[in-house]
Amino acid sequence: MTIRLPGADGVLRTYEPRTEPLAVTPGTPFTSRTVFSAAHVVADPFADVSPDSPAVVDWDATLAFRRHLWSHGLGVAEAMDTAQRGMGLDWAGAAELIRRSAAEAKAVGGLIACGVGTDQIASGSLAEVRAAYEEQLALVEESGAQAILMASRALAAAASGPEDYLEVYGHLLRQSAEPVVLHWLGPMFDPALEGYWGSSDLDAATDTFLDVIAAHPDKVDGIKVSLLDARREIDIRRRLPQGVRCYTGDDFNYPELIAGDEQGFSHALLGIFDPLGPLAAQAVRVLDTGDVQGFRALLDPTVGLSRHLFQTPTRFYKTGVVFLAWLAGHQSHFTMVGGLQSARSLPHFATAYELADGLGLFPDPKLAEERMKTLLSLYGVNQ
């Protein structure tokens, strides 16, 4: 069986799908790395909403996907960028997501950390930004989940320099009940975060980021770096206080960063592990045995798919993630909150399908092929 797929040049090409998926099975918990997958939300396809309406979530399908990730030993990073925070999912929806996912994690024994931001306000003074952070931090802590202090659009707009970041984050870290993860999300993921940590000069911003950690090392479990710059992440990793982890958020260079070098390694908190979950888990279990080459042999081939999904404009990578979840059978439809299913082109989807199928990511390759053909037919491509 073959399928005709459109290329970026508008020409149809013939592709022969795999007939069998990659063989992966759940296994023992990881021992060498802590690994989180940021997880997407599943929209309710029958909700009568517009792109700017509050999100209506299919809770059964959303929680089922989290159970899928936990079953393979991955932690879930909840209510993060991958869940469309600030791109379709508002704070009310995120708060409900945190409550439900944290309860589900407790029920199944799954590892969970949840995003803390300021998205209940569009803008405000530094005092209002602090209060917004505090409200969300309290909810996450009450849920029993670990907190991830995310970058804030409102803080980026309100801060006049590095000292404002030091004050706001210092205040939050002093009052946090347990050590948190600090998240530096680069402007390629959210243009409103340009100049975060008080400077557009990344060296100066890095110094401020590290100053925050150095002042409160007992309150920082780790950092998540999402700058798509492996060299900078390694530099930051080597400058962290003893006991503070680096969780890579680099969806372009994750195999080498997780594998590490003679001076250390990164743990992981990645959006690409949403579609790669079972394969990524198998790779980490190989790494647990000390087999770095085997780990790289499994994970290196996935980078092409990841770079494709996260291509510019990077913030629309969520569209590819949900598209692959639909093809893999984790949800019955390709509808996203905020109407974001329209954010990528048909040639982009075709390449994503081909790359994912080549990796054996689809548990039922025939189902994925049929769904891909359905999408193609809607665009006027006859097989």
Side-chain angles (χ1 to χ4, degrees):
M1 297 296 292
T2 61
I3 182 172
R4 294 200 303 161
L5 301 173
D9 57 3
V11 176
L12 293 173
R13 65 186 186 279
T14 300
Y15 174 70
E16 185 174 348
R18 287 177 65 132
T19 57
E20 297 293 335
L22 180 70
V24 291
T25 56
T28 57
F30 308 138
T31 58
S32 65
R33 304 290 188 273
T34 300
V35 182
F36 289 94
S37 168
H40 72 280
V41 293
V42 182
D44 180 347
F46 303 124
D48 185 12
V49 294
S50 64
D52 57 357
S53 300
V56 180
V57 175
D58 179 338
W59 293 113
D60 289 341
T62 293
L63 294 176
F65 187 76
R66 280 132 184 85
R67 291 193 296 272
H68 155 72
L69 294 173
W70 284 319
S71 75
H72 287 277
L74 297 162
V76 169
E78 189 57 276
M80 300 287 291
D81 183 55
T82 304
Q84 295 180 241
R85 287 289 290 271
M87 290 186 68
L89 186 71
D90 60 12
W91 167 234
E96 184 64 16
L97 179 63
I98 289 167
R99 293 187 191 98
R100 288 177 181 254
S101 290
E104 194 74 14
K106 185 176 181 180
V108 304
L111 181 65
I112 188 168
C114 298
V116 171
T118 64
D119 45 332
Q120 68 271 56
I121 61 172
S123 61
S125 65
L126 289 177
E128 291 169 326
V129 169
R130 283 195 305 271
Y133 263 129
E134 289 170 344
E135 177 188 353
Q136 296 199 15
L137 178 60
L139 185 144
V140 169
E141 290 184 338
E142 288 167 5
S143 77
Q146 183 178 22
I148 303 170
L149 293 186
M150 300 192 301
S152 161
R153 293 174 181 172
L155 179 55
S160 59
E163 64 283 350
D164 289 335
Y165 289 89
L166 291 168
E167 191 279 326
V168 170
Y169 278 93
H171 176 82
L172 293 169
L173 290 172
R174 283 190 295 272
Q175 72 176 61
S176 64
E178 300 291 340
V180 307
V181 176
L182 294 181
H183 185 193
W184 184 357
L185 189 69
M188 68 287 293
F189 289 94
D190 187 342
L193 300 176
E194 177 66 44
Y196 212 74
W197 305 110
S199 178
S200 293
D201 181 311
L202 286 179
D203 290 336
T206 296
D207 288 343
T208 301
F209 182 50
L210 290 168
D211 285 345
V212 170
I213 299 163
H216 307 277
D218 59 321
K219 287 298 187 74
V220 181
D221 164 70
I223 62 168
K224 170 174 158 58
V225 184
S226 300
L227 298 175
L228 304 182
D229 183 339
R231 182 172 298 180
R232 183 167 297 278
E233 177 174 322
I234 292 170
D235 173 67
I236 293 172
R237 186 173 77 195
R238 292 175 177 172
R239 296 167 63 186
L240 290 174
Q242 186 70 28
V244 177
R245 307 179 192 192
C246 180
Y247 294 91
T248 186
D250 188 333
D251 300 279
F252 284 3
N253 305 292
Y254 50 93
E256 65 185 86
L257 291 165
I258 297 170
D261 55 30
E262 66 281 355
Q263 296 185 52
F265 57 82
S266 295
H267 299 269
L269 199 166
L270 288 160
I272 191 57
F273 281 5
D274 180 303
L276 293 184
L279 191 159
Q282 180 167 307
V284 174
R285 288 194 179 90
V286 170
L287 185 60
D288 286 345
T289 70
D291 183 359
V292 176
Q293 287 187 331
F295 166 78
R296 295 293 297 268
L298 282 169
L299 213 54
D300 282 1
T302 69
V303 172
L305 172 63
S306 189
R307 286 178 175 259
H308 177 70
L309 296 183
F310 285 77
Q311 68 182 232
T312 305
T314 303
R315 63 188 182 278
F316 294 128
Y317 77 88
K318 298 97 166 171
T319 300
V321 165
V322 176
F323 170 66
L324 293 181
W326 172 55
L327 294 186
H330 293 298
Q331 53 194 81
S332 62
H333 59 86
F334 179 36
T335 303
M336 297 177 66
V337 298
L340 210 63
Q341 67 271 12
S342 65
R344 293 296 200 189
S345 68
L346 184 62
H348 181 89
F349 293 135
T351 300
Y353 163 73
E354 184 175 350
L355 291 171
D357 180 73
L359 292 168
L361 293 185
F362 302 130
D364 184 343
K366 187 61 179 176
L367 174 65
E369 179 188 347
E370 291 173 351
R371 288 185 170 184
M372 186 68 220
K373 286 181 175 178
T374 297
L375 181 69
L376 289 165
S377 70
L378 293 175
Y379 281 79
V381 179
N382 297 315
Q383 297 298 318

